[in-house]
Amino acid sequence: MFILISLLVVGWVAVALLGSLTYFLGEQSKPIHARNWRSESFEKLSESITGNSIDYGSRVPAFVVADAYTSSTLPNA
């Protein structure tokens, strides 16, 4: 019984580590919202988990800020 419980605990820890690793690797590469563009806490956490620094040259904003303003100036047709 002890072997079964320890196997489940080890499996759960492995899944949690692999899941967090894939999450942060994915978050480092996809477009980012403007409010999170320079989040130092995200940078520190993702770099400590993945071992990779964030390349802001490859990341792009999720939207252009001007879009929010230009959409409100469209005519109500």
Side-chain angles (χ1 to χ4, degrees):
M1 188 62 141
F2 175 74
I3 294 174
L4 180 62
I5 292 172
S6 62
L7 189 63
L8 288 173
V9 169
V10 168
W12 183 82
V13 169
V15 167
L17 289 175
L18 288 174
S20 61
L21 180 66
T22 56
Y23 170 77
F24 280 105
L25 283 174
E27 285 294 317
Q28 285 180 342
S29 61
K30 70 182 189 179
I32 187 169
H33 194 276
R35 69 175 176 260
N36 298 328
W37 184 251
R38 295 283 181 189
S39 174
E40 291 182 21
S41 60
F42 175 78
E43 288 179 23
K44 289 178 185 175
L45 187 60
S46 66
E47 287 178 11
S48 67
I49 290 176
T50 62
N52 298 333
S53 61
I54 299 173
D55 180 18
Y56 285 100
S58 65
R59 291 186 90 180
V60 295
F63 65 93
V64 178
V65 177
D67 287 345
Y69 297 108
T70 56
S71 65
S72 64
T73 59
L74 293 174
N76 294 331

